[in-house]
Amino acid sequence: MVGFFVLADQSTLRVLALVFGLVLAVACMWTTEPGQSFLSFGKESIRETKKVVWPTRKEAGQITAVVFGFVLIMALFLWGTDKILEFVLYDLILSWKK
């Protein structure tokens, strides 16, 4: 970070320092144990992603419609429950008629 501000006037040297840092990071990743385990994890993740059976466009649309329908029904249910509780508490129990 200090190099970024020290090399503010020299854009070419700044880019070279960035490229050198990236090359050094990649070299560390390929030669160290944590880097190797990270690469192995990435390869296994890609392999597992290829095993997934992705839904078709029609199935995705149907699933989305079901979720929206459920959310709408739950919203109406919670609104109704709120109104019933409001009536019971304020009008019947506390007698705070509006």
Side-chain angles (χ1 to χ4, degrees):
M1 188 184 288
V2 172
F4 181 80
F5 293 105
V6 170
L7 301 173
D9 297 335
Q10 302 169 348
S11 62
T12 306
L13 192 56
R14 187 191 253 183
V15 170
L16 289 175
L18 175 66
V19 170
F20 176 74
L22 290 174
V23 168
L24 186 64
V26 169
C28 286
M29 187 170 63
W30 270 328
T31 57
T32 62
E33 178 63 31
Q36 288 294 319
S37 66
F38 178 74
L39 288 174
S40 175
F41 174 75
K43 289 176 185 176
E44 290 175 21
S45 298
I46 291 171
R47 191 176 318 121
E48 287 296 321
T49 304
K50 290 179 181 178
K51 292 179 184 178
V52 173
V53 178
W54 297 101
T56 63
R57 184 175 181 90
K58 181 180 176 185
E59 290 171 338
Q62 289 172 343
I63 292 169
T64 303
V66 167
V67 169
F68 276 117
F70 179 76
V71 168
L72 180 64
I73 290 170
M74 283 303 298
L76 291 172
F77 171 75
L78 291 173
W79 176 80
T81 304
D82 181 54
K83 290 301 171 186
I84 290 171
L85 287 175
E86 178 184 352
F87 173 74
V88 169
L89 288 174
Y90 290 127
D91 293 344
L92 299 179
I93 296 176
L94 297 175
S95 299
W96 289 357
K97 306 262 185 206
K98 294 178 185 174

